Amino acid sequence: QVQLVESGGGLVQAGGSLRLSCAASGRTFSNYGMGWFRQAPGKEREFVAVIRWNSGNAYYGNSVKGRFTISRDNAKNTVYLQMNSLKAEDTAVYYCAASDTYLTLTTMLRASEYKYWGQGTQVTVSS
């Protein structure tokens, strides 16, 4: 079994920052990429960012470009999401995800392409 455990969510004022972490543990798997999705009440799960595990190349959803930064620590099997200039519309449950297959620029946007998921962490931005 592979477990993804997120941490770092919470309540922050608009314009503030938060840093999310996601640690992978359990059996070894072919890690092609780890990323973040988010889901607000009544909305579909939305792609936020992904990082290719080997190359470190990062990709972002349009709504977070320039404000969020994804990074990884290979030794710790951990991925981070630094969120700056937070807005009320960033309020959602944020989910960490990992894929054991290669992600193209198209497939990385789809939640269905990720095999492993964390339990989610709530991020609330007050305006």
Side-chain angles (χ1 to χ4, degrees), residues 23-26 28 42 71 76 83 100 102 114-115 122:
S25 63
T28 302
S71 61
K76 295 182 179 179
M83 305 185 294
D100 61 357
Y102 182 77
Y114 295 78
K115 185 173 182 178
Q122 177 70 46

Side-chain angles (χ1 to χ4, degrees), residues 47-65:
F47 170 78
V48 175
V50 67
I51 188 165
R52 294 194 192 281
W53 204 249
N54 288 334
S55 67
N57 291 338
Y59 304 88
Y60 299 91
N62 289 333
S63 61
V64 306
K65 278 180 184 177

Side-chain angles (χ1 to χ4, degrees), residues 7 18 24 31 36 52 54 59 61 66 77 83 85 88 90 100-101 104 108 112-113 116-117:
S7 60
L18 280 176
N31 189 346
W36 296 90
R52 294 194 192 281
N54 288 334
Y59 304 88
N77 284 331
M83 305 185 294
S85 302
D90 293 318
D100 61 357
T101 58
T104 68
M108 65 175 55
S112 59
E113 295 294 327
Y116 305 107
W117 289 86

Side-chain angles (χ1 to χ4, degrees), residues 5-95:
V5 179
E6 302 109 333
S7 60
L11 173 64
V12 65
Q13 288 188 335
S17 298
L18 280 176
R19 188 195 195 206
L20 305 183
S21 300
C22 173
S25 63
R27 69 172 181 84
T28 302
F29 67 102
S30 298
N31 189 346
Y32 282 85
M34 288 183 71
W36 296 90
F37 284 74
R38 67 186 182 185
Q39 190 165 18
K43 294 189 177 181
E44 292 188 355
R45 195 163 292 193
E46 176 191 14
F47 170 78
V48 175
V50 67
I51 188 165
R52 294 194 192 281
W53 204 249
N54 288 334
S55 67
N57 291 338
Y59 304 88
Y60 299 91
N62 289 333
S63 61
V64 306
K65 278 180 184 177
R67 300 188 297 122
F68 291 10
T69 302
I70 189 170
S71 61
R72 80 208 191 291
D73 185 329
N74 295 54
K76 295 182 179 179
N77 284 331
T78 299
V79 65
Y80 305 96
L81 186 68
Q82 178 66 43
M83 305 185 294
N84 298 330
S85 302
L86 283 162
K87 305 175 183 179
E89 50 263 44
D90 293 318
T91 296
V93 177
Y94 282 70
Y95 296 92

